[in-house]
Amino acid sequence: MFEKVLIANRGEIALRIIRACRDLGIRTVAVHSTIDSEAMHVRLADESVCIGPPAPRDSYLSMAALVSAASVAGADAIHPGLGFLAENATFAQVVTDHGFTFIGPSPDHIATMGDKIAAKAAMVEVGISPVPGSDAAVESDAEAARIAEEIGYPVLVKAAAGGGGRGMQIAREPTILAPALALARREAAGAFGDSRVFIEKFIEKPRHIEIQILADSYGNAVHLGERDCSIQRRHQKVIEESPSPVLDDAVRAEIGARAATAVRQLGYLGAGTLEFLFDGRDFHFIEMNTRLQVEHPVTEMVTGVDLVREQLTIAAGGKLQFGQDDVRFDGHAIECRVNAEDARTFVPSPGRVREYHPPGGPGVRVDSALFAGCMVPPHYDSLIAKLIVHGPDRPTAVARLARALDEYVIEGIDTNLELHRGIAGDRDFSSGAYDIHWLERWMDGA
Ligand code: MV4
């Protein structure tokens, strides 16, 4: 096992990784920008290195600063956390080239999954069905029209380098296709420096269901069930839960086994997530995330598996200590993303936290780097806390969610706690009857 791990991140995810390291007896090195010198991840780590000014590109995104910090501190490995450089294939390569272990998959797997066309092609090879559409970059309007006719309208034009909903254009009829293609190309070139686009059948009212997998370097792979992430606004997930209210044990076992087999055949290493659109009957693969995800705690709560511990063990060359038959799914977990933002405009609301009282009691977990008096800087993601509840069944989990949200006190900055209280008390949410468009419709009506 590693002796010392550098955590190339901040906030709640840095804490999460520090905690897993501490459980394993691994010493930790925090890195921080000048504005984060008093932050909780710096306080909880064994040592810390200042890596630059507040702007992410000069600190948390600076490969040179991070690798230098790892050298100075004498770390053996670097955990990228999520966001920042977590899915940057170059960073994974640079880390390895400097003699450190990158805690994550190979640069090749990161690069393949970062290219949405290559990702779909790779998944088809290992038996995963993608959304119907083009199997390569679309080169001309005529080719696009031919494919769209074949799969049927409406279609979506997506950027190969996109993901997470950036650079998508919908075409509901043939006359709109060429302009949609041109717009998507232009946006993709501007945003990613890569104008390649592809076409998919537009799935009207799907749920976003993703499968968590773990794979070691000995050819073992397991799935840890699904997370339903359909409650989102503008491609930002707001609430995630496991299990999905719409899957039964047989369907879970089937799609899970397919996902585990796929990553085993790909030679994938570590933790990963296969994202699907579920139309009530079929799973359509859209993307794979090659990192630990914000919503990983809901999987941890229902399976009892510590995903960060497994990432560390696998990266250190260890074997998965359990097989698929050992994975038990116990009860129901729900996560709320608590953001520092204006309740009406969703504009980030940084500032000083005056009062802080997190909820507790049976079935409640809070992953957060907040404390009374702390500063929420304006330079980073507005996620400040994750409230995760667990119960023996979904109604109990929903009740505990409402109870925990009522207890939660964060003063001094604006948060979306009130939005979460509204959702937790809603009948559609309680019944589990929602799709990826539900929250935006619900907020329009509220
Ligand atoms: C889709 C889709 C419908 N049909 N692809 C948005 C984020 C990116 N991961 C893919 N996205 C979508 N792709 C096809 N063929 C609808 C969405 C989508 C969506 C997906 C997951 C969660 C929330 C979403 C919100 C709007 C659109």
Side-chain angles (χ1 to χ4, degrees), residues 206-268:
R207 298 177 77 112
H208 172 134
I209 295 180
E210 57 186 33
I211 307 287
Q212 176 72 53
I213 60 87
L214 281 173
D216 69 16
S217 52
Y218 303 87
N220 304 302
V222 296
H223 77 86
L224 298 169
E226 80 282 10
R227 295 183 287 262
D228 193 320
C229 308
S230 302
I231 304 218
Q232 59 85 39
R233 178 184 171 273
R234 302 207 177 162
H235 304 303
Q236 297 295 316
K237 294 168 186 169
V238 175
I239 295 182
E240 307 96 346
E241 63 179 309
S242 185
S244 168
V246 298
L247 297 195
D248 62 29
D249 293 349
V251 173
R252 169 174 316 105
E254 222 266 315
I255 187 68
R258 274 163 54 199
T261 300
V263 296
R264 187 181 308 120
Q265 289 181 9
L266 288 170
Y268 186 84

Side-chain angles (χ1 to χ4, degrees), residues 131 156 158 163-165 168 200-203 206 208 229 232 235 275 277 286-287 436-437:
V131 185
L156 264 185
K158 295 183 174 181
M168 296 191 333
E200 279 180 358
K201 171 100 184 147
F202 179 67
I203 316 282
H208 172 134
C229 308
Q232 59 85 39
H235 304 303
E275 289 188 5
L277 298 178
I286 49 171
E287 294 176 20
I436 60 171
H437 307 293

